[in-house]
Amino acid sequence: MINSQIPVNRSIVYVISDSVGETAELVVKAAISQFDEDKTMIQRIPYVGDIGTVDEVIALAKENHGMIAFTVVLPEVKTHLVEQAKLHNIPSHDILSPMVAMMEKKLQCPPKNESGLIHMLDEDYFKKVEAIEFAVKYDDGRDPRGILRADVVLVGVSRTSKTPLSQYLAHKRLKVANVPLVPEVEPPEELFSINSDKVIGLTISPVKLNGIRTERLKALGLKEEANYAKIQRIEDELVYSAGVMKRIGCEVIDVSTKAVEETANLIFQIVQRKEKE
């Protein structure tokens, strides 16, 4: 419903868009700020996809001596709007087209002429942020409830790259929880109640893990002789984790010779494959 009541002594700018119209409104507000803002008001008309609505706005703009600013990419609607505004001597400004035309010339390819694409990008961005926040919240098994909400659950012994993998996959919009497997700690029961297709086990060679853990101890200023980095302890942990993964029935990836990016891409491919099965 378009408001036709305009306060006395105020000009109005009708902001028309075939999407939400936020972009056009922000530009108009920036322009208005250069003048006496009390003399001008804005009315946004979003999701305009037909010439009937355009005609209604044109009639109001003519009646109220208003102006029109628009970000309309649908060719037939934009053409009709431009023609009618010119016919009725209504000041109008196409906010989007000059920029699109410049880019079309520079990139040597035609625009998509699809409305709402910027909000599709925004939605994609927020999905990524949500996935990153999820990975942080449910890192290192700190809250088993995350297992039930995750797209992917990574399990493995300490230093098998669970945390960096979770963050990397979050940038691919996957919600990832990770759970460390330690012989002295019973795995959360949620691991055995979810679909095993959602779980990825990470394993590694004892020698490789020994080197990683030894370097980790050095970085922390601790003695290399700590039980954490001993081969026997590592082998015991790996045998235990293999048993847990077998109970879950999950797919297992050996990360001994793989970079984080390589492992993450492999996990992403596994997820996509299982979604199609």
Side-chain angles (χ1 to χ4, degrees):
M1 185 69 179
I2 302 175
N3 180 19
S4 60
Q5 300 299 315
I6 307 303
V8 179
N9 298 325
R10 292 193 76 180
S11 296
I12 183 168
V13 180
Y14 294 96
V15 174
I16 303 175
S17 176
D18 47 18
S19 184
V20 178
E22 290 176 345
T23 303
E25 185 173 5
L26 285 172
V27 173
V28 173
K29 282 182 177 179
I32 288 174
S33 70
Q34 300 298 314
F35 302 91
D36 186 345
E37 297 182 36
D38 292 335
K39 292 183 178 180
T40 310
M41 62 180 290
I42 297 172
Q43 183 170 1
R44 192 202 316 177
I45 302 97
Y47 304 113
V48 177
D50 62 279
I51 61 175
T53 305
V54 170
D55 288 339
E56 184 180 352
V57 178
I58 290 290
L60 287 172
K62 184 177 181 180
E63 178 185 345
N64 296 311
H65 306 287
M67 299 170 276
I68 294 175
F70 61 93
T71 51
V72 176
V73 296
L74 299 174
E76 65 279 7
V77 177
K78 181 170 69 173
T79 299
H80 184 76
L81 172 55
V82 171
E83 290 175 348
Q84 290 301 306
K86 185 177 181 179
L87 178 64
H88 294 283
N89 296 315
I90 299 168
S92 66
H93 180 67
D94 185 343
I95 292 172
L96 199 57
S97 288
M99 188 67 186
V100 171
M102 182 183 74
M103 296 188 74
E104 180 179 7
K105 182 177 180 181
K106 179 66 177 177
L107 300 175
Q108 293 294 299
C109 63
K112 297 177 180 178
N113 288 328
E114 297 176 26
S115 60
L117 293 181
I118 189 171
H119 293 282
M120 290 172 64
L121 292 173
D122 288 345
E123 184 179 354
D124 183 65
Y125 170 77
F126 286 118
K127 282 183 179 179
K128 183 198 294 186
V129 171
E130 184 180 8
I132 292 172
E133 291 176 344
F134 187 95
V136 172
K137 183 175 183 180
Y138 297 109
D139 181 45
D140 207 32
R142 63 183 60 171
D143 187 347
R145 291 174 298 180
I147 295 171
L148 302 176
R149 297 178 52 210
D151 298 316
V152 181
V153 182
L154 304 179
V155 297
V157 300
S158 174
R159 313 312 293 179
T160 48
S161 300
K162 295 185 299 298
T163 295
L165 283 170
S166 297
Q167 289 292 330
Y168 194 97
L169 290 166
H171 281 80
K172 293 182 178 289
R173 289 71 173 167
L174 289 177
K175 293 180 180 178
V176 185
N178 73 75
V179 180
L181 299 179
V182 184
E184 293 79 15
V185 180
E186 184 67 23
E189 60 183 30
E190 287 86 352
L191 276 179
F192 307 99
S193 63
I194 62 172
N195 189 329
S196 61
D197 284 349
K198 293 176 65 176
V199 185
I200 301 289
L202 304 174
T203 190
I204 191 171
S205 76
V207 174
K208 179 71 174 179
L209 186 53
N210 171 255
I212 294 172
R213 287 190 176 183
T214 298
E215 289 302 315
R216 177 61 175 166
L217 290 173
K218 286 181 183 178
L220 294 173
L222 302 174
K223 293 181 179 180
E224 298 176 30
E225 298 80 21
N227 192 46
Y228 177 71
K230 287 181 178 178
I231 284 289
Q232 185 57 58
R233 169 65 186 186
I234 288 172
E235 289 177 344
D236 290 344
E237 287 186 31
L238 290 172
V239 169
Y240 170 76
S241 67
V244 173
M245 293 172 196
K246 187 175 181 179
R247 282 174 59 196
I248 296 171
C250 63
E251 195 151 347
V252 179
I253 299 175
D254 190 333
V255 301
S256 302
T257 59
K258 292 181 176 65
V260 170
E261 295 85 353
E262 184 182 359
T263 305
N265 287 329
L266 181 57
I267 293 171
F268 189 69
Q269 290 170 13
I270 291 171
V271 171
Q272 288 185 313
R273 186 193 75 218
K274 289 186 175 180
E275 286 179 346
K276 293 177 181 178
E277 290 178 352

